Amino acid sequence: SAEMQDTDYRPNFHFTPKENWMNDPNGMFYLDGTYHLFYQYHPESSTWGTMHWGHATSKDMISWQHQPVALFPDEHGWIFSGSAVVDKNNTSGLGSDGQVPIVALFTYHDMEGEKSGRDDFQTQGMAYSLDKGKTWIKYKNNPVLKNPGIRDFRDPKVTWDAQRNQWVMALATYEKNLFYTSKDLIDWEFASDFGEGIGAHGGVWECPDFIPMKVQGTDTVKWVLIQSLNPGAYNGGSGTQYFVGDFDGKTFTPESYVNDLGEKHDYWIDFGKDNYAGVTWNNAPGGRTLFIGWMSNWEYANVVPTETWRSTSTIARELKLHLVDGVYRISSAPVMELDSYLDKSFTKASMELSKGSTIVSVDDVSLSKTELSFEIPKLEDKDYKFLLTNAIGDSLTFGYDHSKAQFYIDRSKSGKVDFNENFAKKPSVAPRISDNENLSVTVLLDKTSIELFFDKGTTVMSEIFFPKNSFLEFKSLSNHTFLITDLKASELKL
Ligand code: FRU
């Protein structure tokens, strides 16, 4: 069959703009049954450029409705990343007659200022909505936070600090984060900074998120700083690390910094190459921590082989904070809302696999709108290798390398790979973090993406790929015979 391209690559169940360029998710909030997603958007081109905030809404974070562009550039600059909060108590005073204002804080990027060599070309602007996020009014006295002369000064993420009755803003600069506090979302006071000499620093810190999270099974609340950086991710290029600690209203103090791997920082939201700039929803119902990321990497985002539109979001995920053996870890899982899309399934209580055995084929269920899960009963001292393949020999492999105690994804032969030298360079790896005897694997497969949740989501790897034909079979290529259990492959109905 003819080679897949462009529109054939449009995902079945991941968010992507109707046309043109998207990067970071921005300003997500929930109100009255609707999840809002805004995103860095270039309405005139399928490569990065004049930034706007695109907008989409959803009842369940899975099916999205496109909405008109929410924020346009103005005399202060392009609209870079930022956040939005539901100002329930009208602390901003922007609502009248009981209106609940939605307040967005974002970065103005002044291109002329940058070109003229000034350092203060990024400032923080504000816009608000009085109709639940439909239309936006720019604040009259923008910018609300001026630039003290720092070249990278951006991506404000605002959270309510209920204990101190204040808003807290995390703002990324080159090598650290600045925290500001405010009573009204308009006047911001510098509180502290965090980041020098801690964590990964191979590039620019960007797109922070700073949120309280309950430790699973306890009433303890810790503050979590989710911190993207580019480049310098675990497997190169763009990636997102995190820190867990305490916040006293001014200063963030991370837990004593345990690093299981010697020099390497291994606290990463995702170890795959394609989950960047992810942040969480404001005002999420039920106290859930709901997250979505941009499923790409600045190494090649502008040249992936889709031309009418470019870039996809990760599946929306619920994050949980666990304390295991004295170490705080975040796990991720696809939001449970995805379950109501599970349709035709193929299940096996157990299945013996030898090298080359087919586990699931498209005769059973589709392999491009699929949730696949299984368990390897005991992680013996063996390697595990799984493969997705098609009739023309494209292959995507992933598995577990026992001698290195590493998970991996190898997309070097997955189809179109030569649009950028970094795309297929080497397999991406992730350290095995938990000591669970059983290895659980959940795999989300779309036409151009794989999201792997190992060990109940304590190690996650998300990557994109562009096969020349769709994948037809999922097989074991492990060098030994073993049993997998609780196999379930479900087609998603969308
Ligand atoms: C991250 C980022 C942000 C910035 C935006 C511009 O991917 O570089 O720091 O605000 O993209 O589009």
Side-chain angles (χ1 to χ4, degrees):
S1 52
E3 260 191 25
M4 283 173 77
Q5 50 203 318
D6 206 69
T7 48
D8 302 327
Y9 285 137
R10 192 177 279 284
N12 283 318
F13 64 103
H14 285 82
F15 178 74
T16 193
K18 228 190 231 165
E19 52 187 12
N20 291 320
W21 168 269
M22 168 177 82
N23 55 293
D24 317 350
N26 294 148
M28 295 102 76
F29 72 90
Y30 169 87
L31 186 63
D32 295 347
T34 302
Y35 292 87
H36 291 259
L37 168 66
F38 301 86
Y39 52 90
Q40 287 289 278
Y41 187 47
H42 190 189
E44 258 103 60
S45 162
S46 60
T47 54
W48 188 85
T50 316
M51 284 291 110
H52 298 56
W53 275 24
H55 184 199
T57 52
S58 174
K59 294 289 171 204
D60 58 11
M61 299 170 283
I62 304 295
S63 299
W64 291 97
Q65 281 78 50
H66 294 288
Q67 302 295 347
V69 170
L71 294 177
F72 290 81
D74 61 38
E75 73 272 20
H76 301 292
W78 297 2
I79 314 293
F80 272 21
S81 287
S83 53
V85 292
V86 180
D87 184 14
K88 283 184 234 173
N89 298 323
N90 195 22
T91 61
S92 63
L94 294 165
S96 51
D97 303 327
Q99 285 166 325
V100 172
I102 315 294
V103 177
L105 275 303
F106 53 85
T107 298
Y108 273 125
H109 184 92
D110 173 3
M111 261 301 166
E112 297 313 310
E114 183 180 14
K115 281 189 199 133
S116 73
R118 291 195 341 242
D119 283 340
D120 60 356
F121 52 86
Q122 293 185 336
T123 57
Q124 315 319 315
M126 192 256 266
Y128 58 100
S129 171
L130 299 176
D131 57 6
K132 301 183 180 183
K134 234 180 175 169
T135 60
W136 294 82
I137 306 160
K138 299 255 179 64
Y139 183 60
K140 58 179 190 301
N141 293 326
N142 271 335
V144 290
L145 182 57
K146 297 209 173 71
N147 186 317
I150 305 173
R151 283 187 67 84
D152 294 291
F153 186 72
R154 60 175 175 271
D155 308 339
K157 179 71 166 72
V158 177
T159 302
W160 179 245
D161 172 6
Q163 230 180 312
R164 266 104 9 194
N165 268 297
Q166 62 175 0
W167 298 100
V168 183
M169 176 199 289
L171 187 77
T173 65
Y174 193 93
E175 79 289 20
K176 60 188 174 190
N177 241 328
L178 309 182
F179 294 109
Y180 292 83
T181 56
S182 174
K183 292 283 177 200
D184 61 5
L185 295 161
I186 297 166
D187 285 323
W188 291 95
E189 192 181 333
F190 175 75
S192 65
D193 61 36
F194 171 81
E196 266 173 300
I198 192 166
H201 281 279
V204 193
W205 280 25
E206 304 182 314
C207 297
D209 193 355
F210 189 53
I211 46 165
M213 280 181 85
K214 218 176 221 175
V215 182
Q216 290 296 301
T218 76
D219 284 328
T220 309
V221 172
K222 301 299 272 186
W223 281 77
V224 174
L225 175 65
I226 295 174
Q227 184 64 60
S228 285
L229 90 159
N230 174 61
Y234 194 82
N235 283 297
S238 324
T240 304
Q241 55 185 329
Y242 65 88
F243 304 88
V244 180
D246 295 306
F247 183 60
D248 65 6
K250 277 191 179 309
T251 308
F252 175 59
T253 310
E255 281 296 306
S256 75
Y257 179 66
V258 188
N259 185 334
D260 319 5
L261 295 180
E263 292 308 326
K264 247 183 177 175
H265 183 69
D266 68 343
Y267 294 73
W268 297 86
I269 286 283
D270 196 309
F271 290 87
K273 289 206 65 155
D274 301 302
N275 181 355
Y276 192 57
V279 287
T280 59
W281 259 271
N282 175 259
N283 198 38
R288 297 164 77 196
T289 304
L290 302 171
F291 170 101
I292 196 166
W294 173 45
M295 200 149 51
S296 197
N297 191 308
W298 281 116
E299 282 182 342
Y300 43 72
N302 273 288
V303 294
V304 296
T306 64
E307 263 136 50
T308 50
W309 55 279
R310 242 194 211 106
S311 297
T312 305
S313 303
T314 65
I315 202 75
R317 300 171 183 186
E318 180 162 359
L319 307 185
K320 290 187 174 162
L321 181 62
H322 309 265
L323 178 59
V324 185
D325 299 332
V327 179
Y328 290 95
R329 295 271 184 201
I330 287 177
S331 69
S332 313
V335 290
M336 65 190 179
E337 283 81 350
L338 188 67
D339 293 353
S340 57
Y341 291 85
L342 299 180
D343 196 27
K344 186 177 152 191
S345 296
F346 170 80
T347 57
K348 285 260 159 125
S350 76
M351 193 182 223
E352 189 179 68
L353 302 177
S354 51
K355 190 172 183 177
S357 303
T358 297
I359 305 168
V360 185
S361 88
V362 288
D363 298 334
D364 307 312
V365 291
S366 158
L367 288 174
S368 54
K369 44 176 176 178
T370 320
E371 183 182 86
L372 195 76
S373 56
F374 55 89
E375 293 227 352
I376 298 167
K378 244 194 194 127
L379 197 60
E380 293 156 16
D381 52 349
K382 294 203 168 83
D383 294 342
Y384 291 91
K385 183 171 184 180
F386 300 99
L387 165 97
L388 282 152
T389 185
N390 61 18
I392 56 170
D394 295 338
S395 65
L396 179 74
T397 57
F398 68 88
Y400 179 68
D401 178 331
H402 176 263
S403 67
K404 296 184 181 143
Q406 276 177 346
F407 297 110
Y408 64 90
I409 297 183
D410 187 344
R411 62 182 175 189
S412 60
K413 298 186 183 67
S414 60
K416 295 181 194 168
V417 296
D418 54 8
F419 48 85
N420 173 276
E421 57 168 19
N422 286 315
F423 191 78
K425 221 183 206 166
K426 52 181 170 46
S428 298
V429 297
R432 181 137 197 265
I433 288 163
S434 97
D435 286 328
N436 293 342
E437 275 214 323
N438 290 5
L439 174 62
S440 69
V441 188
T442 298
V443 190
L444 288 189
L445 284 173
D446 205 324
K447 288 179 178 174
T448 59
S449 64
I450 182 164
E451 292 163 278
L452 288 169
F453 302 85
F454 293 111
D455 267 341
K456 304 193 170 18
T458 50
T459 303
V460 184
M461 300 184 85
S462 306
E463 298 216 341
I464 54 173
F465 53 81
F466 301 91
K468 290 178 182 149
N469 278 186
S470 11
F471 290 130
L472 302 177
E473 278 191 301
F474 178 58
K475 297 175 159 200
S476 171
L477 265 200
S478 318
N479 270 322
H480 52 101
T481 301
F482 64 103
L483 272 189
I484 55 172
T485 52
D486 291 337
L487 172 70
K488 185 172 182 203
S490 308
E491 202 166 295
L492 298 166
K493 187 179 175 181
L494 283 129

